[in-house]
Amino acid sequence: MIDEIKSIQDVWRKMPGEHHASVFLEDLIWVGGRHCLLCGSLLSTKLAGETARAGLYQCSEIECLGQFTVTTKTPLHATKLDLRIWIFAMFLVLTSSKSISSVVMARFLGINRRPRGRWGTPSGS
């Protein structure tokens, strides 16, 4: 599917919902099959039900039993942004002939850049 993305419109067409973006990332990251991002085991179960969020898996190894998603241990972990926005941002970075500033990217994405303080904490903290 990644070969089919040639434009920003293709991102939205191929991923009409955040679930589609999650499946896209799973196919991209877990090429050899889903594995626990905590212990590396290839044995896991998809959690379902009202309390389980979409794309949540649990390791089947007795020693681990950790829960994970495709974004666990990545910069996307615990993001509040729709995964499609992140994929769109990656597309912009990868297709830019030069670099793209965070200000321009935030404007393209329609999001607010949160200013950071001197040590990486939000300013005013």
Side-chain angles (χ1 to χ4, degrees), residues 4-80:
E4 300 170 14
I5 298 176
K6 305 285 187 222
S7 69
I8 293 164
Q9 291 83 8
D10 290 341
V11 172
W12 297 116
R13 196 174 310 117
K14 299 288 181 188
M15 297 172 226
E18 188 168 12
H19 166 73
H20 298 90
S22 180
V23 170
F24 171 78
L25 289 175
E26 287 178 9
D27 292 343
L28 193 65
I29 294 170
W30 293 330
V31 177
R34 182 178 62 235
H35 61 277
C36 176
L37 298 170
L38 306 169
C39 74
S41 172
L42 292 173
L43 303 172
S44 62
T45 306
K46 183 173 183 142
L47 296 179
E50 291 181 23
T51 58
R53 65 184 186 273
L56 183 63
Y57 301 94
Q58 182 165 10
C59 182
S60 298
E61 294 292 334
I62 298 296
E63 300 82 30
C64 181
L65 296 177
Q67 294 182 356
F68 61 95
T69 67
V70 71
T71 61
T72 300
K73 292 192 173 184
T74 73
L76 306 181
H77 183 74
T79 185
K80 303 270 189 277

